[in-house]
Amino acid sequence: MPIINGESDARLALTAAQAGAAVVRDLYGSPLARHDKSAGDFATEADLAAERAILDVLRAARPDDAVTGEESGRSGAADAHRRWLVDPLCGTLNYAVRNMLVGVNVALREGTAITAAATADPFSGEVFWTDGDTAWVRRDGADERLTPSAGSALVDVNLDPPFPHAPGFQAVRLLADPGFAERFRPRVISSTLAVAWVAAGRRAAYVTDGDLRDSVHFAAGIALCRAADCTVTGLHGEPVLTGADGLVAAADADTHAALLDLVKSQSAQGS
């Protein structure tokens, strides 16, 4: 592992994500109780157990840091400079029906910047991680630099609500746009593991609506894409994470510009 600023926090994010991924993997296929949340959402016992494993790692190493967990909520000072954002199982519905497309997200926000993050794939054993400056994938104990590529033309789109930009922007309409079909091929895996795939060159881009500030789901993936030199903005080209502006994370500037044009065209038609 390279000796870099923030290595300690990056190592911790990676270790915590691995701890959560181990639980997710071990409980896969087991009969799991469901805990209803809001708007038809739910958590399983695997979500809860994985979050406990992650928090145990973080609290043992950084007891004074604040944490926001998908399942346990916020702890620590509300205005804490250092806050860990934890999504223990992104793709719960996939997991509940024995679909392995899931991710485990851990990110550290210091002030307004994400300075360390990791997204673990429990079933491939890969962990995508960053210290905020460079991005890597750890596989079989070795680290490889992430290299984005638009060559696949695959664009993952989040179709889950809420949709704060509707009717101006709706992801399902983006997929039906003839301009989209001419250049891209849609994919929907319903897990933010796909955002890490943009940084890794396995997706050309990822598009979602929504308010992503302090998002336990998206903070890690956005940090990975930025550190891998992807082009990352809100839906209309504004700085990401500044409000309810959604996300366009693209492997290169050309792909990003094409998607922004499609979003702009759709917004004009829907307004």
Side-chain angles (χ1 to χ4, degrees):
M1 180 177 293
I3 305 302
I4 47 179
N5 292 334
E7 180 186 38
S8 180
D9 284 333
R11 282 182 181 270
L12 182 58
L14 187 151
T15 300
Q18 287 176 317
V23 173
V24 171
R25 186 168 54 251
D26 289 347
L27 292 178
Y28 179 75
S30 303
L32 297 171
R34 296 191 183 193
H35 304 272
D36 289 333
K37 295 159 81 169
S38 60
D41 195 11
F42 65 90
T44 71
E45 286 296 330
D47 298 71
L48 303 180
E51 183 161 310
R52 287 194 296 269
I54 293 167
L55 297 187
D56 285 348
V57 172
L58 297 178
R59 287 170 175 161
R62 301 287 190 274
D64 296 327
D65 287 358
V67 176
T68 298
E70 166 74 0
E71 308 307 333
S72 58
R74 294 168 66 90
S75 63
D79 59 350
H81 180 72
R82 290 172 55 92
R83 178 173 292 276
W84 292 90
L85 306 172
V86 175
D87 182 5
L89 205 174
C90 190
T92 298
L93 183 53
N94 289 345
Y95 185 81
V97 296
R98 301 190 181 186
N99 184 315
M100 294 181 178
L101 292 172
V102 302
V104 176
N105 295 312
V106 177
L108 172 63
R109 175 178 58 73
E110 292 190 89
T112 59
I114 302 298
T115 57
T119 295
D121 181 337
F123 299 105
S124 73
E126 295 176 318
V127 186
F128 306 90
W129 65 275
T130 179
D131 64 343
D133 294 320
T134 54
W136 308 80
V137 58
R138 175 162 295 189
R139 186 186 301 109
D140 298 327
D143 292 316
E144 178 184 337
R145 188 80 171 261
L146 293 183
T147 304
S149 170
S152 70
L154 300 177
V155 176
D156 220 284
V157 180
N158 181 16
L159 299 182
D160 291 333
F163 308 115
H165 285 89
F169 172 81
Q170 290 180 288
V172 68
R173 289 211 324 267
L174 177 67
L175 301 182
D177 190 305
F180 186 95
E182 287 174 7
R183 177 161 183 168
F184 302 115
R185 293 294 177 268
R187 292 294 184 273
V188 181
I189 75 164
S190 299
S191 169
T192 52
L193 177 63
V195 188
W197 286 354
V198 177
R202 303 175 194 179
R203 289 289 188 270
Y206 184 95
V207 180
T208 185
D209 199 354
D211 186 339
L212 308 188
R213 289 171 293 186
D214 261 7
S215 170
V216 298
H217 308 291
F218 288 96
I222 289 171
L224 287 162
C225 285
R226 283 174 159 171
D229 292 328
C230 298
T231 304
V232 183
T233 70
L235 281 172
H236 304 291
E238 66 273 49
V240 73
L241 304 180
T242 57
D245 51 7
L247 171 68
V248 179
D252 58 27
D254 187 50
T255 299
H256 182 266
L259 286 166
L260 284 193
D261 284 345
L262 288 167
V263 170
K264 181 178 180 180
S265 174
Q266 184 193 126
S267 297
Q269 296 171 18
S271 60

